DNA sequence: TACAGCCTTCCTACTGGTAGGTAGATCACA
DNA sequence: TGTGATCTACCTACCAGTAGGAAGGCTGTA
């Protein structure tokens, strides 16, 4: 026996993949219902409203990301390698199509019409991701691994934008390889 | 008399601003109907289906962009200034909230569930924008205005990703100034 | 052991409202 | 007289969300 995921986790899994594909308005309770073989009403039992479902989903995603990035900083010594691992993660996700887009980047695009409880959580993810990148860049600069043109916070914003923009381009062109093609050249400027 | 926009153009205008706010699934014929004071059925007279409406909308957007970028290359001598004008255009749009996102970037995010006739047009926009940027960068490099680390096509992809990613960040943080903060630092690396 | 009460989960059946889209009449204008 | 634009009225399908009940598990009490 491998996966004994609870129903609510299955719901979140499906919802996340549907959001990644089509955004907040791009999925319905009926879609989830059909995907995991449960009635619509049962989903409302676990998540009374759609806004709540997505808010919980983003919380879960944020925590997974936070945990993963913290672990990366703890287990991988070099900031350069920390950055590389982070980028490889997304490259792999995009290549095997398991998670070809960041759910928060997707939702950020729809920000103006997102329920407040979702929007604030998406904002929080952007903030903590930017902070993590800034700390990695800062540590790397101190070790002379990176050559930064601006403050670490600025470079982190640029890097984050490049990552999300590269996801978008990769998706627009339907070319999974484009992500790493864009990002590796971009990172080369930092590390050289 | 100033604006004598036809009904179909008014429909496209509203639809575009609604898509920019919430994507393909984030607006309805009823929304447009309410916004311009016309019945839903009348919109169907001009655009029989939603897919067709958005396809025409993207065509119009592409043509406007193409015309604008061509004019820029014709009227502005320096590639460095051409690039700056392009970026200033978006900075202005984002600041005055008139068009705080590229409609094609928005749609690119929803690519997996877009009607084919829309998806192909979005792809085409990304291609021609990348080509324009590549040609500007290439011309600038020849005049020693830009220092490129890779082929112009590669640098163009990075720049395009940065622009779209910066739009996303700017929107996520609710900070119109973030766009140019990200982009100007990024461009500084090219021009120095 | 056995029963009683409660809780969680999932169900069927339904609501009011909105989605995209259609049929056919009316109006204005050439 | 015809043609395009708009209207009213309507369709079917789907939306998020609700009401109420059935089934099964857990716990406390006898």
């Amino acid at each position: 026996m491998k996966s004994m995921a609870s129903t609510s986790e299955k719901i979140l899994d499906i919802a996340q993949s549907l959001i990644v594909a089509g955004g907040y308005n791009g999925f319905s309770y009926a879609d989830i219902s059909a995907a995991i073989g449960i009635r619509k009403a049962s989903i409302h039992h676990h998540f009374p409203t759609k806004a709540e479902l997505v808010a919980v989903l983003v919380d879960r995603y944020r925590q997974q990301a936070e945990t993963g990035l913290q672990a990366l900083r703890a287990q991988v010594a070099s900031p350069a390698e920390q950055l590389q691992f982070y980028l490889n993660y997304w490259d792999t996700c995009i290549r095997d199509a398991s998670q070809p887009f960041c759910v928060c980047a997707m939702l950020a695009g729809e920000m103006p019409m997102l329920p407040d409880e979702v929007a604030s959580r998406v904002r929080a993810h952007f903030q903590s991701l930017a902070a993590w990148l800034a700390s990695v860049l800062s540590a790397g600069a101190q070790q002379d691994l990176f050559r930064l043109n601006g403050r670490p916070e600025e470079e982190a914003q640029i890097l984050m934008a490049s990552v999300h923009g590269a996801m978008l381009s990769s998706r627009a062109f339907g070319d999974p390889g484009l992500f790493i093609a864009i990002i590796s050249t971009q990172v080369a400027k930092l590390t050289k």
Side-chain angles (χ1 to χ4, degrees), chain A residues 91-172:
Chain A
D91 183 43
T92 304
C93 285
I94 293 167
R95 274 179 204 283
D96 68 13
S98 63
Q99 186 79 9
F101 216 86
C102 168
V103 69
C104 284
M106 192 70 202
L107 292 171
E110 307 179 282
M111 208 63 128
M113 51 150 15
L114 244 36
D116 289 347
E117 48 196 316
V118 176
S120 61
R121 285 168 165 85
V122 170
R123 233 186 320 272
H125 172 75
F126 270 69
Q127 251 145 9
S128 53
L129 177 56
W132 184 85
L133 286 171
S135 75
V136 170
L137 290 179
S138 176
Q142 283 185 320
Q143 300 177 31
D144 254 329
L145 296 168
F146 300 138
R147 187 160 316 283
L148 306 186
N149 290 96
R151 291 186 299 111
E153 291 77 15
E154 289 169 352
E155 292 283 352
Q157 291 284 4
I158 293 173
L159 192 51
M160 193 169 77
S162 297
V163 167
H164 293 148
M167 285 177 186
L168 208 64
S169 289
S170 175
R171 169 164 279 191

Side-chain angles (χ1 to χ4, degrees), chain A residues 24 50-60 117-118 121:
Chain A
Y24 186 87
K50 192 180 184 180
E52 195 167 318
L53 192 165
V54 177
V56 171
L57 185 155
V58 174
D59 278 339
R60 188 185 69 151
E117 48 196 316
V118 176
R121 285 168 165 85

Side-chain angles (χ1 to χ4, degrees), chain A residues 35-55:
Chain A
I36 65 177
I38 204 180
R39 299 294 112 172
K40 265 191 342 166
S42 308
I43 302 172
H44 279 285
H45 167 72
H46 293 279
F47 304 100
T49 69
K50 192 180 184 180
E52 195 167 318
L53 192 165
V54 177

Side-chain angles (χ1 to χ4, degrees), chain A residues 77-92:
Chain A
S78 162
E81 282 178 17
Q82 286 167 8
L83 187 58
Q84 203 54 55
F85 267 83
Y86 165 70
L87 300 171
N88 283 347
Y89 166 77
W90 279 116
D91 183 43
T92 304

Side-chain angles (χ1 to χ4, degrees), chain A residues 6-25:
Chain A
S6 71
T7 300
S8 57
E9 274 176 354
K10 276 193 266 184
I11 292 170
L12 293 175
D13 289 342
I14 295 292
Q16 185 160 329
S17 70
L18 289 171
I19 289 175
V20 165
Y24 186 87
N25 290 306

